[in-house]
Amino acid sequence: MDWIYGIVQFVKSRLHEMPEDQEQIEGDALYKIVQRCFDEPLSVEKDLKTIEIKVSPILVDNLTNIQRRQCLSLVDKNLGDTMNRVYGKDWKLDKVEEMRDPGLVYLLLHHDTEFVGFVSIKAVEDNEFHVLYIYELQIVKNYRRMGLGSKLLGILDQIVGLVNSDPVYTTRFGKLEGLSLTVFSSNEGAKKLYFSKGYEIASHSPAVRHLRNRKIQPDYFILVKKSF
Ligand SMILES: CC(C)(COP(=O)(O)OP(=O)(O)OC[C@H]1O[C@@H](n2cnc3c(N)ncnc32)[C@H](O)[C@@H]1OP(=O)(O)O)[C@@H](O)C(=O)NCCC(=O)NCCS
């Protein structure tokens, strides 16, 4: 299992190239910009009715234990089997730690009082690029395929635009050069969504290996979408 540990450490090292207090300060600045984007709820069609999804931005430090548990249990429900296969049965310990990364901004999604998903994002140095990293995009099963994921990705594009046109942010931290994320190679639905929104496999991503008569998929791909 050493190689699994190696992958986890490799991914984590890429997401931890800034000193912690710097990450926190940039997270605060990002949070202030994100707050401007969600005055209005998102409207989507469910069962032929328009429903409103409230998006609440919240800094990682202000997440309650209940909210943290809701997020972790949704990751488990949605991708737990794949996490187990790829990272081993102790994946949750690493996930809990990752979900506390300083500078993370969460977007919690509710339909009325029902928790229907979350996004977590953070500005990081990834392979020497300053990017908005999408740590998680998780939607409860009953609320999928109604355009919520697409709308959220559109808003993340807007956030990058807002960050890059904010001189206070860019003078201090530099511009964001794009967005980045990790997707399991077996996650066909998510890959289809990301590719349709302009994401590409990063040059530093693990790649498909072509053997004489078959292809070997890596466990995951790193995707990027460069700034416009
Ligand atoms: C991946 C995920 C975030 C997509 O969110 P969503 O709100 O369902 O996405 P959208 O409704 O905006 O889908 C837009 C398009 O993406 C593609 N797509 C999304 N999910 C798909 C799926 N399961 N199978 C095939 N295509 C899919 C389709 O082309 C879809 O358009 P269509 O519904 O008109 O055919 C959601 O399925 C999810 O939370 N999955 C579990 C967690 C996960 O895998 N997260 C991604 C981790 S990287």
Side-chain angles (χ1 to χ4, degrees):
M1 290 298 168
D2 278 358
W3 64 275
I4 293 175
Y5 182 76
I7 291 172
V8 173
Q9 294 309 312
F10 173 76
V11 172
K12 286 174 84 179
S13 71
R14 289 188 169 281
L15 299 176
H16 281 282
E17 285 169 13
M18 274 193 280
E20 206 165 283
D21 52 346
Q22 180 77 0
E23 292 177 300
Q24 214 144 20
I25 296 166
E26 187 167 3
D28 288 349
L30 176 65
Y31 171 67
K32 290 198 177 95
I33 292 174
V34 169
Q35 271 185 315
R36 286 194 239 148
C37 297
F38 295 105
D39 286 346
E40 300 292 323
L42 302 178
S43 295
V44 287
E45 295 289 315
K46 182 169 166 48
D47 306 329
L48 301 176
K49 275 196 288 193
T50 303
I51 60 163
E52 298 201 321
I53 303 295
K54 170 122 185 61
V55 184
S56 312
I58 183 159
L59 257 176
V60 59
D61 298 339
N62 298 332
L63 219 54
T64 65
N65 285 338
I66 292 175
Q67 290 166 331
R68 220 181 287 279
R69 271 199 296 274
Q70 277 180 324
C71 292
L72 181 65
S73 107
L74 183 57
V75 175
D76 190 10
K77 216 175 221 168
N78 284 349
L79 293 175
D81 290 347
T82 317
M83 293 280 190
N84 253 322
R85 178 174 57 76
V86 173
Y87 300 126
K89 63 177 173 41
D90 290 336
W91 67 268
K92 266 196 209 168
L93 298 176
D94 286 322
K95 185 54 80 181
V96 166
E97 199 189 320
E98 182 193 282
M99 285 175 70
R100 289 180 181 275
D101 260 9
L104 267 176
V105 176
Y106 281 75
L107 309 174
L108 303 183
L109 313 177
H110 288 91
H111 174 219
D112 297 330
T113 54
E114 186 186 358
F115 173 71
V116 300
F118 77 101
V119 181
S120 54
I121 51 175
K122 176 176 166 177
V124 301
E125 299 302 319
D126 184 41
N127 200 41
E128 296 177 15
F129 289 104
H130 188 216
V131 293
L132 189 65
Y133 211 100
I134 307 173
Y135 274 48
E136 302 288 352
L137 168 57
Q138 301 283 345
I139 297 172
V140 165
K141 199 163 185 184
N142 281 346
Y143 288 83
R144 295 188 201 153
R145 302 303 286 271
M146 47 184 83
L148 201 46
S150 302
K151 285 201 174 181
L152 289 162
L153 290 178
I155 292 172
L156 297 185
D157 286 347
Q158 281 177 28
I159 289 170
V160 171
L162 283 174
V163 164
N164 287 347
S165 56
D166 184 330
V168 177
Y169 190 108
T170 54
T171 306
R172 180 140 196 200
F173 307 107
K175 287 197 170 195
L176 291 172
E177 292 160 273
L179 296 114
S180 194
L181 59 90
T182 307
V183 63
F184 287 122
S185 57
S186 58
N187 195 343
E188 297 299 340
K191 281 191 302 184
K192 189 168 174 200
L193 169 65
Y194 295 131
F195 291 141
S196 75
K197 300 297 172 202
Y199 287 78
E200 297 170 359
I201 296 179
S203 57
H204 59 287
S205 170
V208 176
R209 284 170 57 215
H210 294 267
L211 299 186
R212 211 156 23 112
N213 49 9
R214 64 193 173 106
K215 288 198 278 190
I216 300 185
Q217 295 280 340
D219 287 322
Y220 65 90
F221 293 110
I222 298 169
L223 304 187
V224 287
K225 180 174 179 179
K226 297 270 163 63
S227 282
F228 336 87

